[in-house]
C-alpha cells in the first residue's frame, strides 16, 4: 500500500511538474540557448494591454509589420512620419526586446515619388541613388543603437522559376539594374556600421529561388559588398518546405553568410505559400479550409516541430526567428483583400490561446 501511495505521488508530481512547466515556459524561455524569438506588430498591438503583456512575456524580439517600411516613414519626399515607428522602438527598448528593422528598400510599399521627377518621367540612376541614400541614412541614423539588424533589400529576386533573369522586375531594377541592391547595402553600412545588414526574401527554400539568392549573395560578398545575413521569411504551409528542402536552403545559405534570421514565420494550413502568395500545387487538397480540425492542427504541429528541430540544429548561424503577427485572428493572410477561407498559421488561436503547435515547439 505504502509503495502504491509513493508511486502514485511520483506519477502525480511528474504530471504536475510537466503541466506546470508547459504552462510556465514561454517561447523566449524555451529557446534561450538557441535564438531570440520575435514577433511582428502593428503599433495598435502595443496599445491593447493584454496583448502587449503577452508580447512581452512570450517574445524577446520585435519587428514592425508595416510601420518602418518606406511608404510609412517617408510617404512623400522629405515628409517623414515617425510616430508609430518611434513608439514601437520605445516599446522594444523599454522591454529589452531587440528590434529588427523592416525594411529599407522594397519594390512595394514605397512612394512613387522615389522613381519619378516632377514631370512624371523616371529619374536617372544618380537621382534614384541620392533618394535611396537619403532614405536609408535618415532612417538608420534615427534608430542607430536601437535597431540591431535591418532588412536592407527585400524581395529583389524573381518569382518566376523559368525566368532567365534572376531579378524581379521593378522600378528600382528598371532604372539602375542589379546595382541598386549593392548600393543599398553600401549606403546602409555608411549609415550604421554596427547594424547587421540582411537580404530578405520568401520561398527561399525553393531550388530556383534559393540558388538565385545564394549566387547573388556570394557574388556580392566576393565583391566586398557589406552584407551580413540572409533573411528567410518563412511564409510556409504544412506541406512545404519538406525537411530536405529546408535543410538544403540552410546548408547553402550558411556556407555564404554567418547570420540567418527567419524573419516572417507562419505556417498556413491552406494552399498558399510565400509572402507573394505564390500558389502551391502539392497541398494535399487543403484549399478553402474554414475550420482548424484536430487533424489539421496536428499536421500543422508536425510541420512546426520539424522546422524548429532543424532550426535548433542550425543555432550557430540562426540568430533570430520572428513570427509574422501574434495570433490567428491577426494574421496578415486573412486580412488581405480577397482572402478566402482561413489560414490559421500561427502558434496562438483567435483567442490568443496556445495551439497544439505551440506545445510541440516549446517541448523538445
Ligand atoms: O494603411 C492603410 C490604411 O490607411 C487603409 O485604410 C487600409 C485599407 O485597406 O490599408 C492600409 O494599408 C494596408 C497595410 O497593410 C497596413 O495595414 C495595406 O492595404 C495592406 O496591403 C498592407 O499589407 C501588408 C503587406 O505586407 C503589403 O505588401 C501586410 O500588413 C504585411 O503583413 C505584409 O508584410 C509583408 C512583408 O513586409 C514582406 N514579406 C511579405 C509579407 C507579407 O506580404
Amino acid at each position: 500500500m505504502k509503495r502504491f501511495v509513493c508511486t502514485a505521488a511520483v506519477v502525480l508530481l511528474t504530471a504536475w511538474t510537466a503541466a506546470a512547466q508547459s504552462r510556465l515556459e514561454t517561447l523566449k524561455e524555451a529557446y534561450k540557448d538557441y535564438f531570440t524569438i520575435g514577433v511582428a506588430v502593428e503599433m495598435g498591438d502595443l496599445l491593447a494591454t493584454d496583448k502587449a503583456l503577452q508580447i512581452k512575456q512570450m517574445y524577446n524580439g520585435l519587428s514592425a509589420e508595416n510601420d518602418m517600411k518606406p511608404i510609412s516613414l517617408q510617404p512623400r519626399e522629405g515628409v517623414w512620419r515617425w510616430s508609430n515607428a518611434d513608439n514601437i522602438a520605445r516599446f522594444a527598448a523599454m522591454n529589452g526586446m531587440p528590434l529588427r528593422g523592416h525594411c529599407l528598400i522594397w519594390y512595394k510599399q514605397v512612394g512613387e515619388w522615389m522613381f519619378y521627377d516632377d514631370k512624371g518621367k523616371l529619374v536617372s540612376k544618380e537621382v534614384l541613388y541620392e533618394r535611396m541614400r537619403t532614405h536609408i541614412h535618415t532612417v538608420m541614423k534615427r534608430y542607430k543603437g536601437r535597431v540591431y539588424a535591418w532588412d536592407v533589400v527585400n524581395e529583389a529576386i524573381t518569382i518566376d522559376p523559368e525566368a532567365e533573369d534572376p531579378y524581379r522586375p521593378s522600378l528600382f531594377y528598371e532604372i539602375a539594374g542589379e546595382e541598386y541592391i549593392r548600393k543599398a547595402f553600401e549606403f546602409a553600412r555608411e549609415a550604421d556600421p554596427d547594424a547587421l545588414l540582411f537580404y530578405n526574401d520568401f520561398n527561399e527554400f525553393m531550388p530556383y529561388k534559393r540558388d538565385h539568392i545564394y549566387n547573388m549573395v556570394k557574388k556580392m560578398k566576393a565583391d566586398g559588398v557589406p552584407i551580413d545575413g540572409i533573411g528567410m521569411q518563412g511564409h510556409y504551409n504544412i506541406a512545404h518546405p519538406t525537411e530536405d528542402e529546408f535543410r538544403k536552403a540552410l546548408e547553402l545559405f550558411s556556407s555564404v553568410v554567418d547570420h540567418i534570421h527567419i524573419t516572417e514565420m507562419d505556417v498556413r494550413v491552406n494552399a498558399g505559400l510565400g509572402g507573394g502568395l505564390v500558389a502551391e500545387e502539392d497541398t494535399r487538397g487543403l484549399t478553402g479550409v474554414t475550420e482548424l480540425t484536430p487533424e489539421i492542427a496536428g499536421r500543422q504541429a508536425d510541420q512546426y516541430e520539424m522546422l524548429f528541430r532543424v532550426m535548433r540544429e542550425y543555432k550557430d548561424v540562426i540568430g533570430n526567428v520572428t513570427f509574422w503577427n501574434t495570433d490567428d485572428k491577426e494574421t496578415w493572410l486573412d486580412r488581405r483583400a480577397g482572402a478566402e477561407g482561413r489560414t490559421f498559421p500561427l502558434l496562438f488561436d483567435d483567442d490568443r490561446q496556445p495551439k497544439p503547435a505551440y506545445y510541440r515547439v516549446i517541448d523538445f
Side-chain angles (χ1 to χ4, degrees):
M1 178 63 183
K2 202 171 165 191
R3 184 181 298 159
F4 171 77
V5 171
C6 279
T7 312
V10 168
V11 169
L12 273 175
L13 188 63
T14 312
W16 180 84
T17 309
Q21 272 173 357
S22 68
R23 256 203 325 272
L24 292 175
E25 203 166 28
T26 64
L27 288 167
K28 69 180 178 191
E29 287 161 357
Y31 281 85
K32 66 182 187 314
D33 297 330
Y34 294 87
F35 29 73
T36 52
I37 306 262
V39 65
V41 295
E42 300 277 35
M43 182 46 219
D45 293 328
L46 308 179
L47 298 175
T49 319
D50 49 347
K51 189 184 271 194
L53 187 64
Q54 189 176 40
I55 289 169
K56 285 191 273 191
Q57 284 174 339
M58 197 52 70
Y59 305 95
N60 51 4
L62 215 59
S63 292
E65 183 183 357
N66 287 295
D67 291 323
M68 288 188 160
K69 289 174 178 174
I71 201 156
S72 307
L73 294 180
Q74 197 184 183
R76 291 193 300 282
E77 187 165 22
V79 175
W80 296 91
R81 301 252 188 273
W82 299 111
S83 131
N84 283 357
D86 281 359
N87 282 326
I88 290 175
R90 196 169 302 126
F91 181 93
M94 274 171 53
N95 295 293
M97 302 170 87
L99 180 60
R100 292 195 86 260
H102 176 81
C103 54
L104 294 167
I105 296 295
W106 189 20
Y107 75 95
K108 255 186 177 176
Q109 288 184 285
V110 54
E112 288 277 303
W113 63 263
M114 177 72 81
F115 310 105
Y116 293 100
D117 65 17
D118 52 12
K119 296 189 183 61
K121 289 183 70 178
L122 283 186
V123 295
S124 66
K125 184 159 103 168
E126 289 68 32
V127 171
L128 177 69
Y129 287 162
E130 200 43 48
R131 290 176 179 179
M132 284 170 53
R133 187 172 185 279
T134 301
H135 184 82
I136 291 171
H137 272 239
T138 309
V139 174
M140 287 185 77
K141 285 178 177 165
R142 186 176 186 92
Y143 296 110
K144 189 165 165 22
R146 294 191 285 164
V147 168
Y148 77 107
W150 277 99
D151 293 330
V152 177
V153 177
N154 194 38
E155 301 174 8
I157 295 290
T158 182
I159 54 166
D160 177 0
E162 310 298 330
E164 278 186 23
D165 186 346
Y167 296 101
R168 179 196 275 272
S170 71
L171 289 174
F172 285 111
Y173 192 50
E174 190 176 328
I175 295 170
E178 65 184 278
E179 190 190 50
Y180 85 88
I181 302 168
R182 294 160 171 248
K183 287 286 180 193
F185 280 92
E186 285 163 15
F187 299 150
R189 183 61 95 226
E190 286 166 14
D192 184 353
D194 300 324
L196 290 175
L197 308 181
F198 282 76
Y199 173 75
N200 190 48
D201 214 329
F202 62 86
N203 288 358
E204 63 308 306
F205 68 88
M206 286 184 161
Y208 83 96
K209 206 149 181 200
R210 178 195 71 203
D211 293 350
H212 285 328
I213 294 172
Y214 170 77
N215 291 334
M216 175 184 74
V217 173
K218 191 171 178 204
K219 185 140 194 324
M220 281 164 61
K221 288 223 124 197
D223 294 344
V225 177
I227 175 168
D228 299 304
I230 295 176
M232 299 169 65
Q233 289 186 8
H235 292 297
Y236 299 145
N237 67 36
I238 58 180
H240 286 282
T242 62
E243 182 166 342
D244 187 53
E245 289 166 336
F246 193 44
R247 278 181 187 281
K248 281 196 173 126
L250 287 168
E251 204 51 39
L252 204 58
F253 292 165
S254 58
S255 73
V256 72
V257 289
D258 294 334
H259 302 273
I260 294 175
H261 286 182
I262 311 297
T263 54
E264 307 181 15
M265 181 162 233
D266 46 26
V267 176
R268 69 195 79 168
V269 302
N270 71 3
L273 191 69
L277 307 173
V278 177
E280 165 58 39
E281 299 302 322
D282 174 22
T283 47
R284 304 180 211 170
L286 283 171
T287 45
V289 173
T290 52
E291 187 194 347
L292 190 68
T293 62
E295 193 254 332
I296 296 176
R299 285 173 58 185
Q300 181 182 49
D302 291 344
Q303 177 72 332
Y304 262 117
E305 181 177 9
M306 180 280 284
L307 292 165
F308 273 83
R309 174 169 48 75
V310 173
M311 290 191 292
R312 289 193 298 272
E313 282 181 38
Y314 283 84
K315 68 172 187 169
D316 290 345
V317 65
I318 295 179
N320 169 264
V321 176
T322 293
F323 287 91
W324 206 245
N325 301 127
T326 49
D327 55 78
D328 286 350
K329 195 173 177 182
E330 293 297 335
T331 175
W332 68 281
L333 288 161
D334 297 357
R335 264 190 274 142
R336 105 206 108 86
E340 285 172 20
R342 294 287 311 270
T343 53
F344 306 106
L346 294 158
L347 298 183
F348 299 93
D349 68 15
D350 290 355
D351 300 317
R352 293 203 303 278
Q353 296 305 306
K355 292 159 61 182
Y358 171 79
Y359 293 105
R360 299 273 283 282
V361 164
I362 64 163
D363 185 16
F364 54 89

